[in-house]
Amino acid sequence: MNLFVSAMNFTKKIAIWLLTLSPFFGCESPKKESINLSELTISDIHKAYQSGKFNSQELVQAYLDRIENMDSAINSISMINPEALQIAKALDEEFQQTKTLRPLHGIPLIVKDNINTKGLPTTAGSLALQDFYPEEDAFIIQKLVAAGAIVIAKSNMAEWAFSPMHSESSTVGITRNPYNLDHVPAGSSGGTGASIASNFGTIGLGTDTGNSIRGPSSHNALVGFRTTLGLVSREGIVPLYLRNDVVGPMCRTVEDAVKMLEVMTGFDPKDPITRYAEGKIPSNYTQYLDKEGLKGARIGVLKNLVDDHPDSEIYALFEKSLSDMEKLGAEIIENVVITDFEQLSQDQWCPTFRVDLEDFLKTYVKRDTIKTLEDIMRIGTHSAYTKGRMERLSTNTLRRENPALPCGDAYTDLRRIAFREAIEKKMEELQLDALVYPTWNNKPARIDFFEEEYKGDNSQIVSPHTGQPAFTIPMGFTSGNLPAGLQFLGRMYDEPVLIKLTYAYEQGTKHRKSPK
């Protein structure tokens, strides 16, 4: 391990140690019985607050203790928030006075380390941003904090969000899958995935350019929401390809993910794409948490992805998921094929990293020494994978096959629109509520062979380009105690439908379990 990573881990331990000492200096009342953190939900926590079983200070301390005791093997946390207990104390005092809980009152939140959080570094896992402290919270952090969430920690990630395969940074190093430490948690939000799976916080935030919410959620037996492009602001987030980027919940239950989503949506003038969502956001999303949500639903099996050389164990779990959905009242429409799928799905990527990153540096970092991608490359990286990817991205910002074709957003780019229209036309023709497929057709790779054993994933192929929402949910486990995920793809702004379907499947199967 390099000296900088060692120093970062030492800083993290010191922060936990100082926070742990705070009860002795009057910041917290004497501890009651220990809190069982396993699979705690927002609802569980709020009931405990109301009954006086524990308060948010005690909950935060319990999570900090768990991180201190368990994260050394997983390496999912990049930085502890030194103000977490003080924030919890203020929220406890507010509740004592008002007897009212905000929507996420006192709920510990783990935030991916590419999302601006005031008072904490936002590094994107890089050396160039290792000491960048944002002046303000990102728009979504402001909304979550206003709803009562406590940012307890930042999570490790694949450096610059480059890798869908694994989560390795120059700041913290390699994050491991808590279900099997020899395997990857996927990328790039692997730190959030591993930490929430390990019960280091209640709810988590990830970002997703092509895979990075849904892959780590699948690999860590979590629920992950990639929402419609335009539904949630991306302001204040270190970009990869902004035209594809979304930010969203990574949680242990559909209900918790929905409660997060409910406070995250809305127009943000600093992210103009959110104007497309105006008039399309319901008064609340929790109304769609329906245990009977699969009854009468028509679910299409997207043959174009399902048949792409799946692992036999993954395929068996997927077949079982279809059978389970039938038992829960759904009608399964097999072998759905999108016309011209191969041609439409090609040449969708536009590597806009340089343009998007340099705009972020100008807007937020504001340093003369870090203005360009060349400055980032000069500062360097500890990762050979990141170095190679950076060099490739420095020479190209255009489509590979049609460089003359403009690279637009999901609402104006002709190739993206054509792809979406083909999918939604087929859904209309067959009267489908959603399309389903395995989130990954293969098991999590071993860390030491993350490139050789990576055989692609299904998350990058459709929704990042079409803009459609896609939710992943636990589908079961393969040999080696390795989780697998089932993905639901919906029409634009059909989050209510996907919530109904995924919640009903979750409640009817209960595949989620904590790492041993």
Side-chain angles (χ1 to χ4, degrees):
M1 183 181 288
N2 64 73
L3 289 176
F4 180 73
V5 170
S6 298
M8 285 290 289
N9 286 330
F10 178 73
T11 302
K12 179 171 68 177
K13 290 178 180 178
I14 288 293
I16 296 174
W17 180 73
L18 289 172
L19 281 168
T20 302
L21 280 180
S22 62
F24 296 101
F25 297 99
C27 293
E28 187 180 25
S29 57
K31 282 190 176 181
K32 305 172 187 176
E33 63 181 82
S34 61
I35 301 171
N36 180 3
L37 297 175
S38 181
E39 303 300 300
L40 267 184
T41 66
I42 295 169
S43 178
D44 294 334
I45 292 166
H46 280 178
K47 286 176 183 176
Y49 290 168
Q50 290 166 329
S51 69
K53 185 176 181 181
F54 56 78
N55 63 26
S56 61
Q57 293 170 81
E58 292 162 344
L59 180 62
V60 166
Q61 187 63 63
Y63 278 125
L64 293 174
D65 291 344
R66 187 173 177 88
I67 292 168
E68 171 68 10
N69 292 331
M70 296 181 61
D71 193 44
S72 58
I74 301 165
N75 201 37
S76 63
I77 299 298
S78 61
M79 179 62 66
I80 296 294
N81 184 0
E83 301 297 322
L85 278 172
Q86 286 295 330
I87 296 167
K89 182 174 184 288
L91 287 165
D92 286 340
E93 291 172 350
E94 177 187 311
F95 177 57
Q96 287 170 5
Q97 293 170 1
T98 66
K99 306 302 179 186
T100 300
L101 293 172
R102 305 189 210 180
L104 299 177
H105 197 106
I107 301 300
L109 165 68
I110 294 175
V111 177
K112 186 178 180 180
D113 196 15
N114 62 346
I115 302 171
N116 281 355
T117 43
K118 186 178 180 180
L120 293 173
T122 296
T123 74
S126 70
L127 298 178
L129 298 182
Q130 62 185 274
D131 59 352
F132 166 54
Y133 285 74
E135 296 173 356
E136 300 292 340
D137 286 330
F139 182 79
I140 55 158
I141 298 298
Q142 293 177 30
K143 291 180 74 93
L144 289 163
V145 168
I150 301 170
V151 177
I152 189 175
K154 301 291 286 286
S155 59
N156 193 32
M157 59 180 284
E159 191 166 347
W160 297 113
F162 281 169
S163 176
M165 299 177 277
H166 72 318
S167 289
E168 177 184 6
S169 68
S170 286
T171 50
V172 178
I174 294 171
T175 296
R176 296 179 176 273
N177 190 314
Y179 290 91
N180 188 322
L181 295 176
D182 292 332
H183 291 254
V184 298
S188 61
S189 309
T192 300
S195 63
I196 296 300
S198 300
N199 296 285
F200 293 163
T202 310
I203 55 177
L205 265 183
T207 62
D208 188 314
T209 304
N211 158 84
S212 297
I213 287 172
R214 293 158 296 149
S217 293
S218 176
H219 278 28
N220 290 279
L222 296 178
V223 174
F225 286 4
R226 181 186 169 98
T227 54
T228 303
L229 264 168
L231 189 65
V232 177
S233 169
R234 293 89 43 85
E235 184 276 330
I237 298 173
V238 182
L240 179 50
Y241 305 158
L242 188 59
R243 65 194 292 275
N244 303 102
D245 292 346
V246 301
V247 58
M250 297 173 65
C251 298
R252 292 184 291 269
T253 68
V254 172
E255 182 175 335
D256 281 359
V258 170
K259 288 179 176 179
M260 280 188 74
L261 176 63
E262 200 158 75
V263 302
M264 291 169 62
T265 60
F267 175 68
D268 176 10
K270 292 183 179 179
D271 187 2
I273 201 173
T274 57
R275 73 184 186 274
Y276 289 104
E278 291 187 300
K280 300 182 177 71
I281 301 173
S283 58
N284 72 78
Y285 284 103
T286 52
Q287 65 182 302
Y288 303 107
L289 293 168
D290 180 3
K291 290 183 180 181
E292 307 296 321
L294 278 164
K295 285 190 175 179
R298 288 175 59 83
I299 306 296
V301 179
L302 186 53
K303 184 178 174 66
N304 303 83
L305 298 183
V306 173
D307 286 356
D308 189 12
H309 305 97
D311 173 89
S312 60
E313 289 185 69
I314 298 288
Y315 190 76
L317 289 177
F318 180 66
E319 287 286 290
K320 178 67 164 58
S321 77
L322 299 179
S323 173
D324 288 338
M325 283 188 280
E326 278 190 316
K327 291 175 184 176
L328 292 166
E331 182 179 356
I332 305 299
I333 291 80
E334 299 273 6
N335 300 323
V336 175
V337 176
I338 308 300
T339 305
D340 297 325
F341 184 88
E342 290 301 318
Q343 186 272 328
L344 288 167
S345 63
Q346 294 302 310
D347 203 28
Q348 288 284 353
W349 291 109
C350 291
T352 58
F353 179 65
R354 173 191 287 277
V355 173
D356 296 335
L357 177 66
E358 289 178 357
D359 182 66
F360 181 90
L361 296 174
K362 178 182 178 181
T363 304
Y364 300 101
V365 181
K366 296 182 281 193
R367 295 179 187 170
D368 290 340
T369 55
I370 310 176
K371 289 184 173 181
T372 66
L373 185 56
E374 283 70 28
D375 291 330
I376 300 294
M377 295 172 71
R378 169 180 50 78
I379 294 167
T381 174
H382 295 313
S383 165
Y385 175 87
T386 300
K387 185 175 185 291
R389 183 74 186 273
M390 188 78 73
E391 289 172 349
R392 291 194 297 275
L393 287 172
S394 70
T395 60
N396 183 29
T397 60
L398 304 173
R399 294 181 196 269
R400 187 177 303 168
E401 295 175 21
N402 297 287
L405 192 63
C407 294
D409 62 39
Y411 298 88
T412 59
D413 187 302
L414 297 178
R415 283 197 62 77
R416 299 176 78 170
I417 293 168
F419 193 13
R420 179 171 66 247
E421 287 180 344
I423 292 168
E424 293 193 340
K425 179 181 178 182
K426 179 60 69 172
M427 292 179 73
E428 289 299 325
E429 176 189 320
L430 299 176
Q431 297 182 311
L432 301 178
D433 292 286
L435 291 162
V436 294
Y437 42 89
T439 304
W440 283 51
N441 278 355
N442 293 279
K443 302 175 189 176
R446 290 173 294 173
I447 287 173
D448 291 342
F449 304 95
F450 75 89
E451 289 186 274
E452 298 94 322
E453 293 182 1
Y454 174 72
K455 299 176 183 178
D457 61 80
N458 290 329
S459 295
Q460 301 195 54
I461 298 172
V462 180
S463 62
H465 312 298
T466 64
Q468 295 166 261
F471 294 1
T472 188
I473 185 168
M475 184 172 69
F477 291 78
T478 63
S479 56
N481 196 38
L482 294 169
L486 173 67
Q487 193 159 157
F488 290 73
L489 177 75
R491 296 172 178 81
M492 297 288 277
Y493 297 99
D494 245 0
E495 279 77 8
V497 173
L498 294 190
I499 289 167
K500 287 178 66 175
L501 300 178
T502 55
Y503 183 69
Y505 178 77
E506 171 196 58
Q507 295 299 304
T509 58
K510 300 285 188 179
H511 287 304
R512 163 75 197 165
K513 65 180 181 181
S514 292
K516 294 179 181 178

